[in-house]
Amino acid sequence: MASIPLGTAQGLTGPANRHRARQASPQASHASPGRRADLRASTLTMARKRVALIAFGFALATAVLVLRVAMMGVFGGTGGFTPAGDALLPDRGMIVDRNGVPLARDFKSYALWFNPKAMEGGEPLTRPAGEVAARLVDIFPDMDEADLERRLASGKGQYLRRRILPEEANRVFEIGEPALSPPAEPSRYYPEGNLAAHVLGYVGADGKGHVGMEEVFNTSLTDPSTRGTEQVLAIDSRVQAALEDELLRGMGLAQAKGAGGIVLDVDTGEVVALASLPSFDPNHIDQKGMELMFNRVTNQVYELGSTFKPLAVAAAIDAGVVTNLAKTYPAGKPLRVGRFSIRDSHTIGQNINVPEILIHSSNIGTAQIADELGSVRMKRTMERLGFNERPYIELPARGFPIWRSGEWPRLTTMTVSYGHGIAVTPLHLASAYAAMVNGGIWRPATLKKLSPDEVPEGRRVFKESTSARMRQLLRLIVTDGTGRKADAPGFRLGGKTGSAEKPGDGGYRRTSLVTTFASAFPMDNPRYVVITMYDEPKGTAATSYQRTAAWNAAAAVGRIVPRIGPMLGIYPDENREIDLSDVRPLLEKGGAH
Amino acid sequence: MSLAPQFEGGNFQRGAGGVHIARRSTTRRNGRWHELTVWWREIDKVLLTIVGLLMMAGVIGVAAGSAASAHRLSTAEKTLSDLHFFWMHLTWLVMGIATMFAASLLPRDSARRLSILLAAGMFVLLVAVPFVGSEINGARRWIRLGASFQPSEFYKPAFTVMLAWILSWRVRDPQLPVMVLSGAVLAVSVGLLMLQPDFGTAMLLCGVWFVLVVTVGLPLHRVGWAMGGIVALIVGAYFFYDNARRRIDDFLGGTEAYSQVDLANKTLTNGGWFGRGLWMGERKKALPEAHTDYILSVIGEEFGLIAVAGIALLFCALVVRVLWRLSGEDDLFTLLAGTGLATLLGGQAFINMAVNLQLFPSKGMTLPLISYGGSSMIALCLTVGLLLAVTRRNPYLTRDGLPKGPRR
């Protein structure tokens, strides 16, 4: 080694220091040793500082990368492949009815889109705009050629036509202009048109579901991991169609403003059909459709009138207040409570028993039973039936009942017993009737199809024996009372009419009614509750100039049940009947007809 | 304790050479052995550990990405086995480690001389590439000599050491125009690379030059000018250079549905924080260059974002470790060469990671020490070897009494 050791340690080092030793030797430089040492020292000092700066720069870059990774972890990470690939996945999941019939599905439709960039930098069109416009007008005769030419010449990307048929798309292809591309765009299609429109809702231009189950299921219908599976509703589209058809027919007959209806499984709470009329077309939402989206069955609260009477009687029987149906109540003159008097539409009899109260729909009689029951027990039963909260259903629009909180005065107890001073939705009433006839268990209503193990346990409102008694009384109303028009032969239907005056300015308006028929069938083993409701029906020739529920709502049920019964597995049987032998004699003896 | 073997094995024996044959043979073996012990004593073991960890990550990463690339590159005539690239990678890695070891054994002067020779040789090849090179993906970068290799890969470390050497003249004679000289070398190199075209490597060389020039003491206002120049260069590249424009456009413009960057991003995030597990990735199958440019995305899918962050931190540790140690160095060439080589490795790694994390337009650059190798693996191992060689340091020496740096 040629270098001269500069210090004691230097000669002993490895390769690391040889270079330094060489560099320090005088051979390579013209500068004086002193200046050189200064320069070396100052350069090195600078270099060391700068190296630290560069290290800091790298640390900063690392921080940026790690931050980016963290961001990806928090916000990113949408997606794995689905086994069949993204291409086969619908843009929005399908909604089907309980039997798998599609009610809402994806549908690719063509749009005529002008894409001036299709030629990648060249002129948008290969031919003059006028010629292309003329060829387009050949295909779409209703388009304005001059306007089309102007739009093509503008060179701006735009829709020329929003929806075109496949064969029209083929003819557009034949023009041979790359800029005229009919892209297939996803759109939502409701194969059954208006059917169950209020249940389904619609998909807006924003791509989100609105109003019905489209809104409720929006997340699972759009999430790539779940939208491949269809959403199954409890609705049976055949039953729904029959319900809507007959309600609409009745609406025409009675010239009503609107109608509502519901078919509910008494044992599970599944809503098999739910209709609010007039309805809208979810395939084509316009201003008129928007106005009709209000759901009468779940969102509008009504004073449902006499349909409440069986509930009050059931509460009294259940509480042991009415132990004998033959017990009579005076009904010969209006019942005075303070300054208020409760009347019947006509005098039914001086003394009438419980079955007579129901079949003739006596306000005076029911009010006395409720009075005996007392406000505490009356209110508790109504609470147990869910009348103090919004109805249980998935739909976003659910009306809050008009419900008197706090301790009920005696008069409120009495008016509630015949359905005044309390306003609930028809859906509330359906769930309550299901509890009254199914053995006494109240369950929340649902629009989702339930498997047997998904059926909620529910809560007991009435005793089994009360329920059995009420089935007899409801049947009696149809065989011998106001519900006769609903008595579809062989279906053992039972139910109660209700015709309530609509509240208006400063009291009730005698001319406008809300008529309801709440029923269940078959009464020897109830399976379904059917409720129909008309808003402001009129007396027409078709309804024998009558406006009350017996002539419209009950008549509709009488037409609906024979249609839907067989679809639901209930066939008419003239040889079967609920045993009425212990209650019917009470009517014959009373002689109040 | 350190004195004895040094004395015995080094100068003393050489001075007393030719005593008798048996003695000489044992001493020669002792010499080898001694050289190794000195190597082991002087080598930066922390750096060696970091490099080893990165190589291990690479082996696992290539194992993960191999099948995807093998399927993609299989043809009707030739089917590649799933682990084709894995076994190839191991082979190249063994050769690379040997290269690294050999290079790290070099004394600093020899390392410098070798680098300058290599730089000269590769320069000649770079001149030749536009004429004799073979074209892949629209760029003429490869030369076939038995196996094909990219001269630019080997030119990078050699150029860096050469640059350090030129700039270190500054302390010998402040009159020498080292800036201009190094700038000229850079300009010619970048020009040659642009002919291929190889935008990524050109950028990397500019970055190394910039860092070294800053280190050697360019006034900071001129650093500002240089920054402006880089921006101007990128803008210029955008307007006059098709390859660069396309890539920058791809990055800035709305990525097309199936662009590489988009696919890489989907792959990277598919594993969530903790990944899907080795060979459980799905997205990687749709990813081009799964074993090279986008290996970080594959690692992300199979081992999670945590692993991705870990690799970024490892590279950071590598660079900071080298620079921290060098900030106590009192030899300018060592300081510059070490800084330059670390910048080269770190710069390439950070650009690749930034591309994978969608912070940067696609560069066609591999992740050093991790991506599937080939000749570039050897070149990178050479880079690490040179880095180890110049940072060798006698642990029993204290540095000069210049402004205090860390002691080791």
Side-chain angles (χ1 to χ4, degrees):
Chain A
M1 185 154 203
S3 66
I4 304 151
L6 293 180
T8 44
Q10 217 145 39
L12 307 174
T13 54
N17 274 41
R18 282 182 212 150
H19 178 76
R20 196 171 61 130
R22 160 95 53 90
Q23 201 183 314
S25 69
Q27 47 181 270
S29 173
H30 310 286
S32 73
R35 270 196 63 199
R36 219 169 55 228
D38 282 353
L39 179 72
R40 177 167 166 267
S42 67
T43 308
L44 272 173
T45 313
M46 163 85 76
R48 287 174 179 181
K49 279 186 192 156
R50 295 278 164 95
V51 162
L53 201 71
I54 290 158
F56 179 71
F58 268 102
L60 215 62
T62 312
V64 169
L65 290 188
V66 171
L67 208 68
R68 172 76 180 161
V69 168
M71 257 175 66
M72 282 178 153
V74 175
F75 302 112
T78 43
F81 280 123
T82 45
D86 294 350
L88 293 177
L89 205 59
D91 290 290
R92 193 178 171 91
M94 187 151 78
I95 301 178
V96 299
D97 84 343
R98 64 184 304 115
N99 302 314
V101 176
L103 295 178
R105 51 168 297 182
D106 249 21
F107 187 78
K108 296 261 192 239
S109 52
Y110 292 103
L112 183 54
W113 169 256
F114 175 51
N115 175 17
K117 287 188 183 144
M119 295 288 276
E120 297 206 338
E123 285 292 308
L125 296 169
T126 60
R127 273 163 290 182
E131 192 189 326
V132 177
R135 303 269 315 251
L136 279 175
V137 171
D138 283 347
I139 305 171
F140 308 105
D142 60 323
M143 291 179 88
D144 177 16
E145 190 172 333
D147 175 58
L148 210 50
E149 183 178 347
R150 188 181 51 73
R151 286 159 78 182
L152 288 172
S154 75
K156 283 185 198 134
Q158 56 187 292
Y159 281 108
L160 299 178
R161 206 176 168 90
R162 204 58 201 236
R163 290 280 172 264
I164 61 177
L165 296 172
E167 54 264 44
E168 291 169 341
N170 285 339
R171 292 180 64 191
V172 171
F173 268 124
E174 282 167 10
I175 297 178
E177 286 288 346
L180 292 179
S181 53
E185 300 182 333
S187 58
R188 196 68 165 162
Y189 179 54
Y190 301 88
E192 306 288 343
N194 288 16
L195 190 81
H198 285 90
V199 171
L200 293 170
Y202 69 101
V203 177
D206 56 358
K208 289 188 185 128
H210 296 280
V211 176
M213 298 309 271
E214 291 274 27
E215 180 176 333
V216 177
F217 289 144
N218 195 51
T219 313
S220 47
L221 286 174
T222 49
D223 189 326
S225 62
T226 52
R227 69 185 185 212
T229 347
E230 55 213 20
Q231 297 289 342
V232 185
L233 297 186
I235 297 286
D236 184 323
S237 56
R238 304 164 304 170
V239 177
Q240 177 78 25
L243 178 69
E244 288 187 15
D245 186 35
E246 292 299 346
L247 280 176
L248 204 60
R249 191 166 141 209
M251 229 171 100
L253 292 177
Q255 291 174 14
K257 262 173 63 183
I262 182 167
V263 179
L264 182 78
D265 187 317
V266 298
D267 292 319
T268 65
E270 289 170 282
V271 175
V272 180
L274 189 153
S276 171
L277 297 174
S279 97
F280 60 94
D281 181 2
N283 286 312
H284 181 71
I285 299 297
D286 52 10
Q287 189 52 43
K288 189 159 167 281
M290 299 291 281
E291 285 161 9
L292 296 175
M293 275 173 200
F294 189 80
N295 191 331
R296 295 170 193 277
V297 180
T298 63
N299 205 7
Q300 176 68 294
V301 296
Y302 300 94
E303 288 184 312
L304 288 170
S306 307
T307 49
F308 266 57
K309 286 173 186 160
L311 297 172
V313 169
I317 293 174
D318 207 64
V321 171
V322 173
T323 50
N324 181 4
L325 292 183
K327 182 178 179 186
T328 59
Y329 296 85
K333 58 180 189 334
L335 178 64
R336 292 200 66 86
V337 183
R339 292 184 317 183
F340 193 84
S341 61
I342 295 169
R343 305 164 192 281
D344 285 337
S345 57
H346 62 282
T347 305
I348 296 159
Q350 289 305 314
N351 289 294
I352 53 177
N353 57 30
V354 177
E356 285 170 335
I357 287 172
L358 285 176
I359 68 167
H360 299 296
S361 197
S362 166
N363 295 342
I364 301 171
T366 317
Q368 290 175 74
I369 293 174
D371 199 25
E372 284 181 10
L373 178 63
S375 65
V376 174
R377 285 184 287 192
M378 184 71 175
K379 188 182 177 201
R380 214 182 120 257
T381 306
M382 294 294 147
E383 279 169 353
R384 302 272 295 164
L385 289 170
F387 288 168
N388 60 339
E389 51 192 342
R390 292 180 195 279
Y392 278 86
I393 195 140
E394 290 83 359
L395 294 177
R398 292 171 297 137
F400 195 86
I402 296 174
W403 168 262
R404 175 150 194 163
S405 56
E407 197 181 321
W408 280 3
R410 183 170 167 231
L411 182 62
T412 300
T413 310
M414 289 162 87
T415 59
V416 164
S417 75
Y418 57 90
H420 285 77
I422 184 169
V424 297
T425 67
L427 180 62
H428 276 109
L429 191 68
S431 292
Y433 264 64
M436 186 162 62
V437 299
N438 73 0
I441 311 290
W442 183 91
R443 289 187 185 86
T446 179
L447 276 165
K448 290 181 191 164
K449 185 181 183 182
L450 301 179
S451 62
D453 55 327
E454 285 172 332
V455 174
E457 200 178 323
R459 60 170 178 250
R460 180 165 287 284
V461 182
F462 300 114
K463 296 186 188 95
E464 179 76 51
S465 58
T466 309
S467 180
R469 189 56 101 190
M470 289 317 296
R471 294 201 284 261
Q472 291 178 314
L473 291 172
L474 286 170
R475 177 73 185 131
L476 216 51
I477 298 169
V478 171
T479 53
D480 295 84
T482 52
R484 259 171 286 190
K485 286 224 176 289
D487 193 13
F491 284 100
R492 295 94 74 195
L493 186 102
K496 178 76 189 82
T497 54
S499 307
E501 286 157 14
K502 279 174 91 171
D505 295 329
Y508 289 95
R509 292 183 293 160
R510 287 195 166 273
T511 48
S512 46
L513 296 183
V514 171
T515 62
T516 317
F517 191 68
S519 62
F521 75 102
M523 268 307 160
D524 45 322
N525 178 24
R527 293 280 308 284
Y528 293 95
V529 163
V530 181
I531 288 187
T532 55
M533 186 207 71
Y534 284 102
D535 192 357
E536 297 191 17
K538 296 182 179 61
T540 64
T543 58
S544 309
Y545 301 100
Q546 297 292 323
R547 296 180 297 140
T548 51
W551 297 90
N552 40 59
V557 170
R559 294 191 304 268
I560 291 166
V561 167
R563 282 182 69 174
I564 67 171
M567 294 169 186
L568 297 168
I570 300 156
Y571 298 95
D573 188 345
E574 305 272 1
N575 298 319
R576 294 179 69 173
E577 184 57 273
I578 181 171
D579 180 10
L580 296 173
S581 54
D582 60 336
V583 286
R584 174 154 281 142
L586 294 174
L587 298 182
E588 283 150 10
K589 203 168 65 184
H593 289 282
Chain B
M1 163 231 149
S2 72
L3 301 188
Q6 173 83 18
F7 201 68
E8 210 181 323
N11 299 342
F12 178 72
Q13 282 301 332
R14 211 168 285 166
V19 178
H20 55 76
I21 295 161
R23 177 94 189 265
R24 178 182 280 176
S25 71
T26 50
T27 55
R28 207 172 260 166
R29 206 165 58 235
N30 273 349
R32 278 280 155 70
W33 178 245
H34 171 69
E35 217 174 309
L36 273 180
T37 54
V38 171
W39 176 84
W40 180 245
R41 197 193 313 133
E42 294 185 349
I43 207 83
D44 183 354
K45 289 183 249 327
V46 175
L47 178 58
L48 203 62
T49 311
I50 295 173
V51 168
L53 286 174
L54 284 171
M55 282 175 171
M56 267 156 60
V59 168
I60 297 170
V62 171
S66 175
S69 292
H71 283 290
R72 181 166 282 268
L73 297 176
S74 290
T75 55
E77 297 91 57
K78 189 162 182 245
T79 313
L80 300 175
S81 72
D82 279 358
L83 287 179
H84 172 80
F85 287 106
F86 175 67
W87 296 120
M88 292 287 283
H89 182 69
L90 283 189
T91 317
W92 285 109
L93 189 62
V94 169
M95 290 197 272
I97 289 174
T99 311
M100 182 176 91
F101 179 67
S104 69
L105 278 173
L106 290 173
R108 193 171 298 162
D109 284 346
S110 316
R112 194 190 69 222
R113 283 188 205 112
L114 175 88
S115 298
I116 292 164
L117 280 176
L118 189 65
M122 288 302 145
F123 188 82
V124 172
L125 286 180
L126 276 181
V127 173
V129 159
F131 306 106
V132 301
S134 48
E135 190 169 323
I136 296 178
N137 294 339
R140 203 177 280 274
R141 297 177 189 172
W142 300 77
I143 278 191
R144 291 192 188 281
L145 290 176
S148 63
F149 77 106
Q150 292 190 49
S152 63
E153 296 278 3
F154 289 89
Y155 185 63
K156 280 188 287 190
F159 166 86
T160 305
V161 175
M162 187 170 71
L163 213 59
W165 179 56
I166 293 174
L167 289 172
S168 70
W169 295 343
R170 194 178 149 89
V171 292
R172 296 203 204 169
D173 185 353
Q175 255 66 55
L176 279 176
V178 289
M179 299 286 183
V180 178
L181 215 60
S182 64
V185 171
L186 175 77
V188 175
S189 313
V190 167
L192 282 176
L193 288 168
M194 288 304 202
L195 281 179
Q196 296 186 356
D198 190 347
F199 188 56
T201 306
M203 244 184 79
L204 205 55
L205 292 193
C206 288
V208 168
W209 178 79
F210 177 70
V211 162
L212 288 189
V213 163
V214 167
T215 309
V216 90
L218 199 68
L220 282 174
H221 67 88
R222 279 209 245 164
V223 174
W225 278 110
M227 290 281 203
I230 289 172
V231 172
L233 199 74
I234 292 175
V235 173
Y238 181 80
F239 283 113
F240 300 112
Y241 196 43
D242 283 345
N243 208 0
R245 177 165 56 235
R246 206 166 51 237
R247 287 189 168 175
I248 293 173
D249 273 347
D250 276 358
F251 178 70
L252 293 178
T255 48
E256 291 160 39
Y258 295 107
S259 77
Q260 283 189 15
V261 180
D262 196 40
L263 287 171
N265 187 252
K266 280 193 173 128
T267 311
L268 184 69
T269 51
N270 189 27
W273 289 108
F274 302 105
R276 307 204 153 230
L278 181 62
W279 289 317
M280 300 299 278
E282 290 286 338
R283 277 279 178 194
K284 67 174 183 184
K285 291 175 189 163
L287 191 63
E289 315 285 349
H291 62 313
T292 56
D293 293 12
Y294 291 112
I295 195 163
L296 191 70
S297 297
V298 175
I299 291 175
E301 185 180 22
E302 306 210 343
F303 304 100
L305 292 167
I306 299 283
V308 173
I311 284 172
L313 290 174
L314 266 182
F315 274 110
C316 178
L318 186 146
V319 173
V320 169
R321 163 72 185 175
V322 171
L323 294 184
W324 188 48
R325 245 169 72 109
L326 285 176
S327 69
E329 181 56 58
D330 44 19
D331 173 52
L332 190 62
F333 167 75
T334 305
L335 197 149
L336 290 176
T339 305
L341 290 170
T343 305
L344 187 66
L345 279 172
Q348 187 176 340
F350 278 81
I351 290 175
N352 177 282
M353 289 190 284
V355 168
N356 272 277
L357 293 170
Q358 266 193 314
L359 294 170
F360 229 59
S362 171
K363 280 272 106 28
M365 208 179 264
T366 58
L367 189 56
L369 303 175
I370 292 189
S371 286
Y372 167 78
S375 65
S376 89
M377 185 76 195
I378 307 272
L380 284 161
C381 285
L382 178 69
T383 311
V384 177
L386 289 173
L387 186 60
L388 287 166
V390 296
T391 56
R392 277 173 72 172
R393 177 181 285 185
N394 188 327
Y396 302 103
L397 269 184
T398 50
R399 303 286 105 189
D400 271 5
L402 283 166
K404 26 187 184 338
R407 287 183 168 196
R408 232 151 270 114

